[in-house]
Amino acid sequence: MLLRLAYLTVTNAFAALRLLPMSDRDKDAEILALRHQIMVLERQLGADRVKFASEDRALLAALLAPLPRQVLRRLRLLVQPDTVLRWHRGLIEQRHARTCRPKRPGRPPTVHSIRTLILRLVRENPSWGYRRVHGELATRGIQIAASTVWEILKTEGIDPAPDRAATTWADFLRSQADALLACDFIETVTLTGRRQYILAVIEHATRRIRILGTTAHPTAQWVSQAARNLVMDLEDAAATVTYLIRDRDAKFPALFDQILEDAGIQVVLTGVKMPRMNAIMERWVQTCRHELLDRTLIWNEHHLRHALRQFELHHNAHRPHQAMNQAAPLRAVPEPITDLGRTSRLDIRRRDRLAGVIHEYRHAA
């Protein structure tokens, strides 16, 4: 015990003597450096090797580099004094590189309107590559490098033309909406427990619905006759139809497709268990169930046919459609009432269909 006390006394005495020639600034720098090293050790407790982050190196280099080398060698550091000096030289070199690096003029930024035009051309023409877009801009007198067009497309995450040229199902529906029909069967049960099958067709562009009929036995002969009736209705309406979308239901015979193909209508089959490929038709089926079938007690086939006829008239001539800006297939949106003073004299009358199952509202005559 006495030997240890004597050792500590001598050690502290020599440490005090070492501090005598040091200035207050050097002492403060040493204290701050030692404290920061303790913080680094506390931050990495349990680590096999102490690692200094870039901010740790910058702080220690700024504190210890001004000290004389002999003072550095006497400090209790976790790294060699030469390492601290090397950190300091690296900081000086980085600062010198930033301040003395020559500034190049570089390429001026692309005008925002030109950038927007490039993205518009690619969006409207998916098969155009960057060189085709560059050529179109050149014919309009817009001077821009082809590499700049390529860089803009890359920055926006737009794939090269070969990857964009493939037509997706959504693009096909949008581009062919005016010439598209979709059909599907709907099942319902009457009060007597008899199952009925409803065959309906909808136009993609106008959302007009055509209910081709209902039967308890959708035989091949009945479905084929429904196809003939549809072709005659389209001819009477002078409608130009190119495609008809349907699922792979076994109730559709081969003759159904043949009749449509003879009329110039190509049948497009949806994928197996993929109702979203016929989403517009499926959405109408949901509407029909929610607004009619689930709210009506169907007595028999004759009653069902009458209810469907009334709902078809309501859907085509009155019911607003969000996809058509609240218009109906056979009714345009009326002119808005701008004279607010007339609102006090509005006379809105209700008309009931199917004994009040469906309500329609109109201005009084």
Side-chain angles (χ1 to χ4, degrees), residues 21-305:
M22 294 180 62
S23 62
D24 293 340
R25 181 183 178 280
D26 295 343
K27 295 176 184 178
D28 294 339
E30 180 180 358
I31 293 173
L32 292 176
L34 294 175
R35 286 182 176 178
H36 191 73
Q37 288 185 124
I38 294 174
M39 291 176 58
V40 173
L41 292 174
E42 290 177 346
R43 206 167 55 221
Q44 304 182 36
L45 287 176
D48 297 336
R49 181 180 177 184
V50 180
K51 295 182 180 180
F52 289 90
S54 57
E55 54 272 16
D56 299 328
R57 297 178 182 183
L59 179 59
L60 292 176
L63 289 174
L64 302 177
L67 299 180
R69 185 178 292 269
Q70 59 273 16
V71 176
L72 281 177
R73 295 187 183 278
R74 292 197 298 266
L75 294 181
R76 299 180 180 272
L77 301 175
L78 298 177
V79 295
Q80 297 294 328
D82 294 338
T83 303
V84 176
L85 297 177
R86 177 167 54 81
W87 291 348
H88 186 263
R89 288 194 300 270
L91 293 175
I92 297 300
E93 291 174 358
Q94 292 178 9
R95 180 181 178 184
H96 180 75
R98 287 195 299 267
T99 56
C100 299
R101 181 181 301 169
K103 296 183 179 180
R104 298 180 181 179
R107 180 181 298 176
T110 306
V111 179
H112 179 71
S113 59
I114 298 178
R115 187 185 188 92
T116 304
L117 177 59
I118 292 173
L119 298 178
R120 174 190 169 189
L121 292 176
V122 174
R123 183 177 63 256
E124 296 177 355
N125 305 276
S127 61
W128 285 12
Y130 74 96
R131 291 191 179 276
R132 177 66 177 85
V133 175
H134 173 256
E136 188 67 23
L137 294 176
T139 59
R140 306 276 77 81
I142 301 174
Q143 296 183 355
I144 186 173
S147 58
T148 303
V149 178
W150 179 85
E151 186 67 29
I152 291 174
L153 299 182
K154 181 181 178 182
T155 303
E156 294 294 330
I158 299 177
D159 297 328
D163 298 335
R164 288 184 279 111
T167 302
T168 62
W169 181 253
D171 293 336
F172 168 75
L173 296 181
R174 282 191 293 267
S175 62
Q176 303 294 333
D178 293 336
L180 274 179
L181 290 178
C183 70
D184 198 4
F185 274 99
I186 312 172
E187 296 184 16
T188 188
V189 180
T190 64
L191 288 179
T192 60
R194 192 172 188 181
R195 189 173 300 275
Q196 293 287 327
Y197 298 90
I198 307 165
L199 180 57
V201 174
I202 191 170
E203 298 179 5
H204 272 219
T206 64
R207 297 300 196 272
R208 179 178 179 179
I209 194 71
R210 286 183 169 88
I211 298 178
L212 303 184
T214 177
T215 180
H217 305 286
T219 61
Q221 181 180 359
W222 185 89
V223 177
S224 301
Q225 184 60 43
R228 295 188 185 95
N229 296 339
L230 172 62
V231 172
M232 289 188 293
D233 289 345
L234 295 176
E235 291 177 352
D236 295 339
T240 303
V241 178
T242 308
Y243 301 97
L244 182 138
I245 302 173
R246 70 169 179 84
D247 56 19
R248 301 173 184 267
D249 197 329
K251 289 188 284 293
F252 291 104
L255 184 57
F256 179 86
D257 298 347
Q258 185 62 45
I259 294 172
L260 295 177
E261 290 179 3
D262 293 342
I265 302 175
Q266 179 181 349
V267 176
V268 180
L269 302 180
T270 61
V272 179
K273 295 182 179 181
M274 297 181 66
R276 293 185 63 183
M277 293 185 68
N278 200 5
I280 294 179
M281 187 69 227
E282 295 291 345
R283 182 64 181 85
W284 181 84
V285 171
Q286 179 184 356
T287 300
C288 183
R289 292 189 183 281
H290 178 70
E291 298 184 5
L292 176 66
L293 299 179
D294 294 345
R295 303 176 58 194
T296 307
L297 298 177
I298 304 298
W299 293 95
N300 49 37
E301 182 176 322
H302 178 74
H303 182 211
L304 176 60
R305 190 176 294 111

